[in-house]
């Protein structure tokens, strides 16, 4: 999918509450350009839909929505993340047992 699945998962989780790309970039400690790149990739893959606020004073504001495909991808990435963390935990447990 996207090079950094953790960032993609985080953006999928927060998609519907993103106030601006700048706010999410600040929250995640990454550049606005990187957020923009990830959001565009998610839109191109059909995982997120962007709607412009036509009545808003700031015409650059968008509201992001997960598509059905996006919901499924968020679930899949979450499962993968949990499996990865579980494997890391089990590896740490084995290291502790070997050093005891």
């Amino acid at each position: 999918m996207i090079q950094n699945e953790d960032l993609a998962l985080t953006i999928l989780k927060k998609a519907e509450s993103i106030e601006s790309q700048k706010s999410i970039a600040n929250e995640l400690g990454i550049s606005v350009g990187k957020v923009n790149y990830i959001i565009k990739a998610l839109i191109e893959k059909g995982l997120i839909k962007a709607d412009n606020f036509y009545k808003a004073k700031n015409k650059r504001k968008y509201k992001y929505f997960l598509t059905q495909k996006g919901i499924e991808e968020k679930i899949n990435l979450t499962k993968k993340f949990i499996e990865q963390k579980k494997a890391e935990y089990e590896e740490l447990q084995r290291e502790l047992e070997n050093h005891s």
Side-chain angles (χ1 to χ4, degrees), residues 73-100:
E73 183 68 11
K74 182 172 89 169
I75 291 167
N76 291 335
L77 286 174
T78 300
K79 286 178 183 177
K80 188 175 180 178
F81 177 82
I82 291 168
E83 289 170 6
Q84 178 183 349
K85 293 303 174 187
K86 184 179 175 190
E88 290 172 8
Y89 172 78
E90 290 169 353
E91 178 63 27
L92 286 172
Q93 286 293 94
R94 283 191 291 277
E95 286 180 24
L96 286 173
E97 289 170 3
N98 291 336
H99 285 80
S100 297

Side-chain angles (χ1 to χ4, degrees), residues 40-61:
K40 281 184 176 182
L42 294 171
I43 290 170
E44 287 175 12
K45 292 196 173 283
L47 305 178
I48 289 179
K49 187 170 103 175
D51 283 336
N52 179 283
F53 288 109
Y54 295 107
K55 295 180 183 177
K57 292 178 184 174
N58 181 356
K59 297 296 181 193
R60 293 191 298 179
K61 269 197 155 185

